[in-house]
Amino acid sequence: MASQIKAPERISGFYANRRRALIVMVACAFSQSVMLGSSSLVAAVDKRFSPDHERGDRSYVFNGVYAFSFSGMAATFIMGLWLLQLFIQHPERRKTVSLILLAAQPLAWLLMGVACAANYNVPLLYVSVVLLVGLNSALLDMVFRIQGLVWYAVDDTKNIGLAWIGTATGVGVIWYTLLSGWVIHYGSLQTYFFVLAAFQLLTEIPIFLGITRGWLDDPPTHADFAAWIAEAESGATPVDAEAVAPAPIAEALEGDAGPTGPVEKAPEFAVLRDSISGEELEVSRPSTDAVTGKPSPGTAPLCPAVVKTWAEAYTYQITWIRTVYYFVYTFNGYATKVLLSTTFILIFGMGELTASYLSAATLSLYLVGRAVVPLVCVERFPAIGVVTFAMLISSIAYGVIPAIIGDGKEGLVGKAVFTWRLLLFCIAKSVAGMCFACLSTMGAPLTFDDFGPANFMLFIPLIYIVAGVGGVAGPITAINIAYYKYYDGKTFAQAFHIFFYLGAGLAFASFLLCAYSWWLIVRAERRIAASSS
């Protein structure tokens, strides 16, 4: 006979398990932030792994920027096309696959040190960064973005989970920015990679323990947790210990529970699994209720049906709007990360160590965007409102940067002294970084709101792929435009102007689309409310 466990014990057990899971999620977020806190690293890699160029030479290649950009795209593609489906459809394989991918990042940095020792071997650079770091980043992204959201969606505290993860990411970005500046300045690029390999190995110890000890097993569903709360408040008879199984990832994201306990499982998640596996369905669901006009359970006003394929997803206008949004914010975010970080060196004449200190200081607002914004905004304001405002502010920040940095011909600019232009640039860079952090943090809540819990796991891979394409296109476009102009006789300041204007224009266009989609959502919700009444 099954053992009896009281609801209070189940609830306390859930919170104890989530605290263990949080340790792993924070470690994953901190470990992956190395890819965002590596501006000095990218600059140093480019100097040593890329060929020397002269003005007028149009055959230039920037291996450091290319490799780090493609590693992000590799991570999103691996995550969206393979790892997410594997975790959902074959949970029994999670532990083995995770442990294999966990070893990829320390090995990657070790091989990068070997590449430096081997006369800066370019093929080994791409294998190490694109393949191995991409594989590892896909795993870390899976854990702290998706699994983290699942654990905190159980009791409707997603804002707290996002704040914890954002804090770890923000602190990690600042730490790795300083670490790269220190080691490269006082040592060498080769030394830095060996140090980084050892440090990353240490940060992955809690992740290893969490995987092997089952700290990342699926949490209960939202409905089951609500039933435990209702049972604890009513003093009802305890349920069987085996009666409630851990929820698969898709089911754990289910939203509503009945007033006195769990609702019956809707068939949306069976539809979801079939759509992910590519199986055909014989039964289709109506997009809206014929009487009230409400969307199907678990969906959203602008995507009112359970979507089975990506092709079907693009029959909805909101999918196209969000495709533009995710492409633009990663295109601009990662491109300006490369340009803004090198501006201290190329335009203001700072040394690598001073540039690292200034970059770390300007990242303080990035930390605010990652940690404070989700804590305050996720449960109080609609996600679309936050991202619309952030996109507008980022457009303004990008637009004023060319006026701030000037044309690079002034006497003080380029001589490593403090000027009002440097101060204004630090402010603009900080604001742009905070907006990028907000847009990154609000991605999952926005997707959840736009498409509903029943469609969430189908749209997340699509969004990751779009973001990955934007993340690789942005830096490559920015660095090629800038150096093309520089080799054509412009100063670096003048060469940077064109991309910042391009980024400002794209951000403003995305802002308009976000505002338009916000209006569509409000209109649809009002129409549904009116038809229900």
Side-chain angles (χ1 to χ4, degrees):
M1 181 177 177
S3 59
Q4 304 289 317
I5 298 180
K6 296 181 179 180
E9 295 175 358
R10 286 182 176 276
I11 295 171
S12 61
F14 162 75
Y15 285 117
N17 291 334
R18 190 169 71 178
R19 284 191 292 270
R20 298 186 188 98
L22 179 62
I23 294 173
V24 182
M25 289 181 260
V26 167
C28 287
F30 185 89
S31 179
Q32 196 191 29
S33 62
V34 64
M35 299 305 293
L36 291 173
S38 53
S39 54
S40 297
L41 172 62
V42 174
V45 169
D46 266 330
K47 288 181 181 179
R48 291 156 176 83
F49 284 87
S50 300
D52 294 331
H53 310 301
E54 297 178 358
R55 290 182 182 271
D57 180 11
R58 294 293 185 264
S59 62
Y60 44 85
V61 175
F62 303 96
N63 288 311
V65 172
Y66 294 172
F68 280 83
S69 299
F70 277 108
S71 71
M73 189 176 76
T76 57
F77 272 62
I78 293 168
M79 165 76 171
L81 297 176
W82 173 63
L83 193 61
L84 185 58
Q85 287 84 344
L86 177 71
F87 271 43
I88 292 175
Q89 298 173 9
H90 303 285
E92 72 281 358
R93 300 180 186 176
R94 291 184 198 174
K95 184 177 295 187
T96 301
V97 173
S98 297
L99 290 175
I100 293 173
L101 297 184
L102 193 63
Q105 189 171 153
L107 178 61
W109 302 128
L110 182 63
L111 290 179
M112 280 296 295
V114 174
C116 291
N119 197 26
Y120 302 107
N121 187 278
V122 172
L124 194 54
L125 161 72
Y126 282 96
V127 171
S128 302
V129 176
V130 177
L131 180 59
L132 295 179
V133 174
L135 285 169
N136 181 268
S137 294
L139 171 67
L140 301 184
D141 235 6
M142 176 71 217
V143 171
F144 81 81
R145 290 189 188 275
I146 306 302
Q147 194 76 351
L149 181 64
V150 168
W151 271 95
Y152 281 89
V154 172
D155 61 347
D156 296 321
T157 56
K158 294 187 291 293
N159 60 322
I160 297 176
L162 289 172
W164 274 112
I165 294 168
T167 300
T169 301
V171 172
V173 168
I174 295 173
W175 163 249
Y176 285 114
T177 297
L178 293 173
L179 181 66
S180 62
W182 290 333
V183 179
I184 293 174
H185 177 77
Y186 293 110
S188 65
L189 182 62
Q190 178 179 339
T191 303
Y192 174 72
F193 284 126
F194 290 135
V195 170
L196 189 59
F199 187 82
Q200 291 299 92
L201 189 62
L202 291 176
T203 62
E204 291 189 346
I205 290 177
I207 307 175
F208 174 83
L209 293 175
I211 292 173
T212 55
R213 296 185 180 185
W215 292 355
L216 294 178
D217 290 345
D218 290 324
T221 66
H222 182 283
D224 290 334
F225 186 81
W228 299 346
I229 296 294
E231 178 189 320
E233 292 175 349
S234 64
T237 304
V239 296
D240 291 342
E242 291 84 2
V244 182
I249 294 176
E251 292 186 9
L253 287 165
E254 184 177 3
D256 298 330
T260 59
V263 297
E264 181 183 356
K265 299 298 180 189
E268 283 86 352
F269 299 108
V271 175
L272 172 65
R273 294 192 192 93
D274 290 339
S275 65
I276 289 178
S277 62
E279 297 176 8
E280 295 294 332
L281 297 175
E282 298 180 358
V283 180
S284 61
R285 293 177 58 87
S287 60
T288 57
D289 186 277
V291 178
T292 65
K294 292 183 178 180
S296 298
T299 62
L302 298 187
C303 184
V306 178
V307 178
K308 295 177 286 186
T309 64
W310 288 348
E312 183 183 349
Y314 278 102
T315 62
Y316 296 98
Q317 188 180 27
I318 188 64
T319 308
W320 291 99
I321 294 174
R322 289 299 176 259
T323 297
V324 173
Y325 161 76
Y326 282 103
F327 177 85
V328 168
Y329 105 73
T330 52
F331 182 92
N332 280 347
Y334 290 105
T336 52
K337 171 66 179 175
V338 173
L339 293 186
L340 292 177
S341 299
T342 56
T343 298
F344 289 122
I345 298 173
L346 299 178
I347 296 177
F348 292 102
M350 303 294 175
E352 288 185 348
L353 187 60
T354 304
S356 295
Y357 289 147
L358 289 174
S359 293
T362 58
L363 286 169
S364 57
L365 284 186
Y366 178 88
L367 175 59
V368 172
R370 277 289 194 175
V372 178
V373 169
L375 182 64
V376 174
C377 295
V378 167
E379 298 298 331
R380 291 178 174 84
F381 305 101
I384 181 59
V386 177
V387 301
T388 300
F389 183 74
M391 192 64 79
L392 174 62
I393 299 301
S394 66
S395 173
I396 296 172
Y398 297 147
V400 301
I401 285 176
I404 291 175
I405 62 178
D407 59 9
K409 295 180 179 180
E410 295 185 12
L412 293 179
V413 177
K415 293 186 177 181
V417 296
F418 185 84
T419 67
W420 68 269
R421 289 187 184 275
L422 177 60
L423 175 61
L424 291 177
F425 174 75
C426 290
I427 295 173
K429 182 179 183 297
S430 299
V431 171
M434 184 177 68
C435 290
F436 178 58
C438 292
L439 296 172
S440 301
T441 301
M442 300 302 292
L446 181 64
T447 305
F448 199 86
D449 291 347
D450 283 339
F451 305 107
N455 289 320
F456 181 79
M457 300 305 289
L458 181 74
F459 278 90
I460 276 291
L462 176 61
I463 286 167
Y464 265 80
I465 291 171
V466 172
V469 174
V472 71
I476 291 177
T477 301
I479 203 73
N480 278 277
I481 288 177
Y483 274 82
Y484 184 91
K485 290 294 183 181
Y486 174 71
Y487 292 147
D488 205 32
K490 304 291 185 181
T491 65
F492 271 116
Q494 293 170 329
F496 280 18
H497 284 184
I498 186 171
F499 186 83
F500 284 118
Y501 286 135
L502 173 63
L506 289 174
F508 188 74
S510 182
F511 155 72
L512 293 178
L513 285 175
C514 287
Y516 172 64
S517 67
W518 194 1
W519 175 76
L520 289 176
I521 292 170
V522 172
R523 186 182 66 171
E525 290 175 344
R526 288 177 178 176
R527 185 172 60 248
I528 293 170
S531 62
S532 299
S533 61

